[in-house]
Amino acid sequence: MNSDPIADYLTRLRNAIKANHRVVEIPSSNIKKEITKVLYDKGYIQSYKFDDSGVQGTIKVALKYNPSTKQSAIVKLERISKPGLRKYTGHDNLPRVLNGLGISILSTSKGVMTEKEARDQNIGGEVLCYVY
C-alpha cells in the first residue's frame, strides 16, 4: 500500500525520464488520470492511454522528447502538498512557476486544473505539484 500515490506517480515519471524510456506504466486512480490529462493538454507528454482491465487498471504515458537534443519536455516534477502537510491556497495568491513558464497543478472544487485556469475561474485549492 502506498501512502502518497501522487508522489509515486511523479516519481515513476521522473525515473522514466531519467532512464530515457518512451512509455511508462503507472497504476491508475481518478486523481492520477486527471493529472495526466492536464499534462497532456499543456504539452508535457506525448499521449496517454487508460487501461481499465484488472482490479485497479493502469495509465500508459508516452513521454515527449525533443528529437534533436533528446531532452524531455519535463525538466522537473516537484510535489508540493504532502499527506503530512497539505498546502492550500486561495484564488488571490495562486503560485506562479518560473514566472509563468511552468505550471502548478491544483485540486479544486471544480476538478484538477492548472493555476492559470483556477485564476480565470477565481477559485483556490490544494497545490498538488509544480511542473516545468
Side-chain angles (χ1 to χ4, degrees):
M1 183 172 149
N2 194 349
S3 63
D4 190 3
I6 298 172
D8 177 61
Y9 171 84
L10 296 175
T11 300
R12 286 175 190 248
L13 284 177
R14 206 177 296 120
N15 289 343
I17 290 167
K18 284 189 178 181
N20 289 325
H21 289 297
R22 293 283 171 214
V23 178
V24 60
E25 222 172 288
I26 302 166
S28 179
S29 74
N30 287 337
I31 189 90
K32 292 179 193 175
K33 287 180 182 179
E34 293 302 316
I35 293 172
T36 304
K37 289 177 188 174
V38 169
L39 289 175
Y40 177 74
D41 290 341
K42 297 302 171 189
Y44 286 102
I45 59 176
Q46 189 170 338
S47 65
Y48 62 89
K49 182 181 176 191
F50 300 139
D51 183 18
D52 291 330
S53 63
V55 178
Q56 186 175 10
T58 59
I59 303 171
K60 290 183 181 176
V61 177
L63 299 171
K64 190 178 204 179
Y65 293 95
N66 185 337
S68 60
T69 62
K70 306 284 190 228
Q71 188 173 5
S72 172
I74 300 173
V75 176
K76 189 164 184 180
L77 293 162
E78 187 178 350
R79 178 80 161 117
I80 302 303
S81 183
K82 299 179 173 87
L85 182 61
R86 301 285 184 189
K87 300 280 185 178
Y88 296 97
T89 183
H91 70 90
D92 51 346
N93 57 352
L94 291 167
R96 288 177 53 120
V97 181
L98 285 180
N99 209 15
L101 294 176
I103 62 169
S104 63
I105 299 176
L106 284 86
S107 175
T108 67
S109 58
K110 295 184 179 174
V112 177
M113 62 182 71
T114 65
E115 87 282 352
K116 293 171 187 140
E117 294 165 347
R119 193 173 287 117
D120 291 342
Q121 297 183 22
N122 272 345
I123 52 175
E126 181 182 354
V127 183
L128 298 177
C129 61
Y130 292 160
V131 182
Y132 55 91

